[in-house]
Amino acid sequence: MVLDEFPRQLARTRRFSLGVPRAVTISPDGGRVLFLRTSGGEDPVSRLWLLDLAAEDTAEDTAEDTAERPLADPTASWNVGSGEVPEAERIRRERMRELSSGIVAYSADEACTTVAFALDGRLWALPVPAHNQPAPWPVPRLVPTAGPVTDPQIDPTGRRVAYVTDGALHVVDLGTDVDQLLAAPEHEEVVYGLPEHVAAESMYRYRGFWWAPDGRQLLAARVDNEPVLQWWIADPANPEAKPRAIRYPAAGTANADVSLHVLRLDGSRTELDWDRKAFEYVTAASWDAHGPLLTVQSRDHRTALILAADPTTGATRLLHEDRDPAYVALTYGAPLRTEAGRLAHASDRGDSRRLLIDGAPVTPDGLQVRELSAADGETVYFIGSQEPTEEHLWRYHPEQGLLRLSDAPGVHSGTAAGGTVVRFARTEAGDTITATRRGEAKPHPIASLAAEPVLKPRISWLTVGPRELRAALLLPSWYEPGTRLPVLMSPYGGPAVQLVMRTHSSAFGEDQWFAEHGFAVLVVDGRGTPGRGPAWDKTVYGDALSAPVEDQADALKAVAEQFPDLDLSKVGIRGWSFGGALAAMAVIRRPEVFHAAVSGAAPHDQRLYDTYWRERSLGHPDENPDGYDRSSTITQAGQLTRPLLLIHGVADDNVVVAHTLRMSSALLAAGRPHQVLPLSGATHTPTDENTVSQLLRHQLNFLTDALAITPPAGTQAR
């Protein structure tokens, strides 16, 4: 039956992410599109694909002439032998929430004629077939390296590949296979070419080195982790395994010492010069035709500088400065420069996050810039929101002005090069991916092979209360007016994620599964969630949980006035990560509203979370101790009067399991009954099929017991 099948399907499809095209690269002439995709909705092995748009233009209209073909398939015979994913690569994938295996990342040269990728720690290079090149196509070639490979990047000329192994940055020549050591760590806590923890986890900077256009020099980060606290991640279920050491900068403690260096193939190097004591965070870096470009930020988050650098002298020059009394927010993909060198980035102006070109705002009030996608010539592509439940793809050109490229309600994104635009549309109907060349009206489809969910969400989109909170209400398919329904709140509620978006997300599938078991499920995005502008974002500055808890309670009351069948005497709340802390705080502070909670992977002790993410919203713990106490469930554990289930993966290195263990200890010391479910071997994002599927059933059983609910006949969780 569907209800039995859905949890397994959710796990097997990695939350329906398998089979969806991603990681798109467009050739400079706009004629070819590279991308990654698994071969089906339950196939975890990611492959490299090529869409030859020029071939589509000349192909006959037959199935055999399709221009979308696999370029590198790890299950093919060329992938002989086996390697092992190095620890640094495993960490990189965890930071990026990578859920597939196989070719999970690749790098293409500027002309898109050669690609490089890592597979189980080994380096492969592959020529990209020319337009209409007949089969057989070339197969990947194994390139010898000095050790297991992490994050290989081919240079723009296609001659060399740089990679990291054992903390050292190497370059291998694809013509001669000669391997050159560019930078070796001076001691065991130094790494060249990889981001530090907070950069990858909280700044979304996943890279640690960047090639120059000439392919003869690189900009590389040197990360010295020695000042950072050393923690140990153990696996209690396997006592024979050694604990894993990690460097984790908890709030108020020292960060890694990060510097940037120009490394040249002749062995010389130059360090970039800025006030690293005042601006210790490197939030973004790149190297384009106009030279190195970087963004640095102060420890208190209130000042950010965009700098241009001279690669010869290391001198830096200020291009733009942002200041904010709370914090300067980062925008993914920013800054970037156009072909003519115009600087594009996003800054808060009034109550809007606006696109700035050379310091001048070019987007209107009310359009919130979410991400910068690409610069194609002088055209800048970006993602923006006007209605918080939608994101759309926009473009700006200095002569043509501003244009929205997507129409249907949903979440739209894309990228562009050579006049070709690849668009991703995620709507309630599903995913659609297309490539459109300059001058062509008809788009070229890129197939999504994602599995069709066996359970379809039934969503009522709502705007409720004086703060116009966006909400989604999911009712059982068998519901009829007059049927009283217990309520399950299902928020995230934090600054990193919106849930109330007009898509067919896997989260809504989970919510509908709970609904089919007898709940009215209510999802609410309150203050502090993205998409509503700087003032909305920063409402929670200094106190991370008070306003979100209030918004959940207010939304519940407002929705119940519209839907009188909601039984407010039986209200549960469940959440993960920030949502887990929100759920726990809700039953602690508002037990008259919320009667049971499931708190998964939650940062219960705000002083135990990382410097960048936590100090952004709460400041330094020495300067705002009361804010940390108000935002930590542990300090208020003694007030718990309702059933609470705590869940945590013991291998989590983002929100470490110590959060839940300390919360449980505080509850026990206060004499407050509760339950704890440890997930052996699980990280912050569990992927094991049994864990993911049974976790849903365990939460359901807990909630039905805690709220004294009898599930409808035939829906009991098994």
Side-chain angles (χ1 to χ4, degrees):
M1 97 184 260
V2 168
L3 292 187
D4 286 338
E5 172 60 19
F6 177 77
R8 288 286 179 185
Q9 187 189 36
L10 182 72
R12 290 195 303 267
T13 62
R14 309 288 167 89
R15 302 183 184 277
F16 299 98
S17 66
L18 302 179
V20 179
R22 61 191 180 93
V24 165
T25 303
I26 306 171
S27 63
D29 63 0
R32 288 176 292 178
V33 177
L34 301 171
F35 61 94
L36 297 178
R37 186 183 59 197
T38 71
S39 64
E42 295 188 3
D43 174 21
V45 181
S46 185
R47 297 155 172 84
L48 179 62
W49 295 74
L50 169 66
L51 173 64
D52 191 338
L53 300 178
E56 276 209 348
D57 291 341
T58 59
E60 297 179 5
D61 190 18
T62 64
E64 290 75 21
D65 288 323
T66 178
E68 182 185 302
R69 299 178 183 177
L71 190 58
D73 181 353
T75 67
S77 59
W78 57 262
N79 186 19
V80 294
S82 62
E84 184 175 341
V85 176
E87 176 69 2
E89 173 65 14
R90 189 203 63 76
I91 292 173
R92 190 190 71 84
R93 295 183 187 187
E94 176 65 20
R95 298 284 78 80
M96 299 184 72
R97 308 296 188 261
E98 177 60 59
L99 299 179
S100 64
S101 59
I103 304 173
V104 301
Y106 69 96
S107 172
D109 64 358
E110 185 177 19
C112 278
T113 58
T114 308
V115 294
F117 57 87
L119 191 59
D120 296 331
R122 298 181 297 170
L123 176 62
W124 299 84
L126 175 66
V128 177
H131 291 308
N132 295 316
Q133 180 175 332
W137 282 359
V139 298
R141 178 180 73 87
L142 184 62
V143 180
T145 58
V149 171
T150 296
D151 194 26
Q153 298 292 323
I154 195 168
D155 87 85
T157 70
R159 298 172 183 171
R160 307 170 186 89
V161 176
Y163 65 93
V164 179
T165 185
D166 293 329
L169 186 60
H170 287 249
V171 171
V172 59
D173 189 297
L174 294 180
T176 64
D177 287 346
V178 173
D179 192 289
Q180 178 181 355
L181 173 63
L182 275 192
E186 291 80 7
H187 58 81
E188 63 179 5
E189 296 301 337
V190 169
V191 174
Y192 279 92
L194 294 178
E196 72 277 23
H197 176 90
V198 292
E201 183 62 50
S202 301
M203 304 175 201
Y204 311 118
R205 176 172 67 78
Y206 303 113
R207 299 282 310 285
F209 68 90
W210 303 266
W211 277 105
D214 65 5
R216 301 193 62 81
Q217 50 190 340
L218 304 95
L219 179 65
R222 177 187 182 273
V223 176
D224 186 349
N225 281 304
E226 191 168 38
V228 183
L229 291 174
Q230 182 169 265
W231 287 0
W232 300 89
I233 304 294
D235 184 0
N238 294 285
E240 72 278 5
K242 290 183 178 180
R244 180 166 62 90
I246 65 170
R247 292 286 182 169
Y248 192 98
T253 69
N255 282 307
D257 180 15
V258 180
S259 55
L260 293 177
H261 303 256
V262 175
L263 306 177
R264 304 177 186 88
L265 297 184
D266 64 8
S268 64
R269 61 191 290 173
T270 302
E271 181 176 350
L272 297 194
D273 181 26
W274 76 91
D275 187 348
R276 292 201 291 119
K277 184 175 181 180
F279 298 93
E280 62 182 83
Y281 291 125
V282 178
T283 64
S286 60
W287 195 329
D288 58 21
H290 308 282
L293 181 67
L294 60 147
T295 303
V296 296
Q297 191 172 29
S298 58
R299 174 72 180 254
D300 66 7
H301 294 255
R302 293 171 181 161
T303 308
L305 309 179
I306 301 177
L307 304 173
D310 184 327
T312 302
T313 66
T316 57
R317 175 172 54 91
L318 180 65
L319 299 180
H320 182 85
E321 180 176 356
D322 262 333
R323 292 182 180 271
D324 190 278
Y327 58 83
V328 176
L330 303 180
T331 301
Y332 187 75
L336 55 78
R337 286 184 286 206
T338 68
E339 186 176 16
R342 294 184 176 93
L343 179 68
H345 64 100
S347 291
D348 294 347
R349 294 290 188 272
D351 198 24
S352 298
R353 187 152 297 137
R354 302 176 69 180
L355 174 65
L356 274 62
I357 305 294
D358 279 343
V362 298
T363 52
D365 287 334
L367 174 56
Q368 310 297 340
V369 175
R370 308 292 296 273
E371 176 182 330
L372 269 58
S373 302
D376 188 10
E378 296 309 301
T379 303
V380 176
Y381 292 82
F382 67 95
I383 299 167
S385 296
Q386 291 171 305
E387 159 55 43
T389 61
E390 302 177 17
E391 294 179 0
H392 288 277
L393 181 63
W394 296 73
R395 77 178 187 200
Y396 170 80
H397 188 277
E399 296 177 359
Q400 300 168 1
L402 196 63
L403 179 66
R404 197 174 94 173
L405 301 178
S406 50
D407 296 314
V411 175
H412 300 262
S413 60
T415 189
T420 292
V421 182
V422 174
R423 308 182 197 187
F424 293 78
R426 296 176 56 227
T427 68
E428 292 182 77
D431 294 328
T432 302
I433 303 95
T434 58
T436 305
R437 299 185 73 183
R438 180 186 289 124
E440 294 184 357
K442 182 181 178 182
H444 303 259
I446 301 175
S448 174
L449 307 179
E452 188 72 18
V454 297
L455 190 63
K456 298 295 181 65
R458 301 162 58 87
I459 305 172
S460 296
W461 303 99
L462 308 171
T463 300
V464 299
R467 288 186 289 277
E468 298 184 336
L469 300 170
R470 298 319 196 261
L473 179 65
L474 297 90
L475 301 176
S477 60
W478 45 262
Y479 165 77
E480 294 181 358
T483 305
R484 295 284 283 170
L485 296 172
V487 182
L488 177 60
M489 307 291 289
S490 184
Y492 178 79
V497 175
Q498 277 179 269
L499 292 181
V500 187
M501 305 293 287
R502 289 182 175 266
T503 71
H504 67 303
S505 75
S506 63
F508 283 138
E510 291 185 41
D511 294 330
Q512 189 65 46
W513 185 81
F514 281 97
E516 295 300 325
H517 285 89
F519 288 94
V521 181
L522 182 60
V523 187
V524 179
D525 283 344
R527 283 170 287 179
T529 55
R532 296 283 294 267
W536 182 269
D537 293 351
K538 296 168 186 177
T539 304
V540 298
Y541 179 73
D543 184 344
L545 286 172
S546 293
V549 168
E550 182 182 355
D551 286 346
Q552 296 298 311
D554 289 352
L556 174 62
K557 179 180 178 182
V559 172
E561 291 173 354
Q562 298 182 44
F563 297 85
D565 286 340
L566 272 58
D567 185 353
L568 298 190
S569 70
K570 297 182 177 181
V571 178
I573 182 169
R574 65 184 285 264
W576 197 265
S577 197
F578 185 97
L582 175 55
M585 192 67 87
V587 290
I588 289 173
R589 287 193 181 169
R590 300 296 301 274
E592 79 283 6
V593 176
F594 306 101
H595 309 113
V598 176
S599 175
H604 293 288
D605 184 348
Q606 301 297 346
R607 291 176 175 83
L608 207 61
Y609 200 48
D610 80 51
T611 51
Y612 190 88
W613 203 237
R614 190 46 59 233
E615 292 177 16
R616 187 185 88 148
S617 59
L618 293 180
H620 196 285
D622 292 344
E623 299 171 359
N624 184 27
D626 292 342
Y628 276 79
D629 289 342
R630 285 194 304 272
S631 303
S632 296
T633 59
I634 290 176
T635 61
Q636 297 157 70
Q639 302 173 33
L640 179 70
T641 59
R642 297 292 191 182
L644 173 62
L645 170 63
L646 305 175
I647 306 170
H648 219 120
V650 297
D652 195 336
D653 61 2
N654 174 22
V655 182
V656 293
V657 71
H659 285 272
T660 287
L661 297 178
R662 291 184 182 185
M663 179 62 174
S664 178
S665 294
L667 290 167
L668 186 63
R672 303 301 178 183
H674 62 285
Q675 296 184 28
V676 180
L677 175 63
L679 306 178
S680 297
T683 63
H684 198 61
T685 306
T687 57
D688 175 76
E689 182 175 335
N690 288 327
T691 299
V692 173
S693 59
Q694 295 301 332
L695 187 55
L696 282 182
R697 296 182 171 92
H698 189 88
Q699 293 177 70
L700 177 64
N701 290 332
F702 170 82
L703 289 166
T704 53
D705 289 346
L707 299 173
I709 297 169
T710 301
T715 65
Q716 286 82 359
R718 300 182 221 173

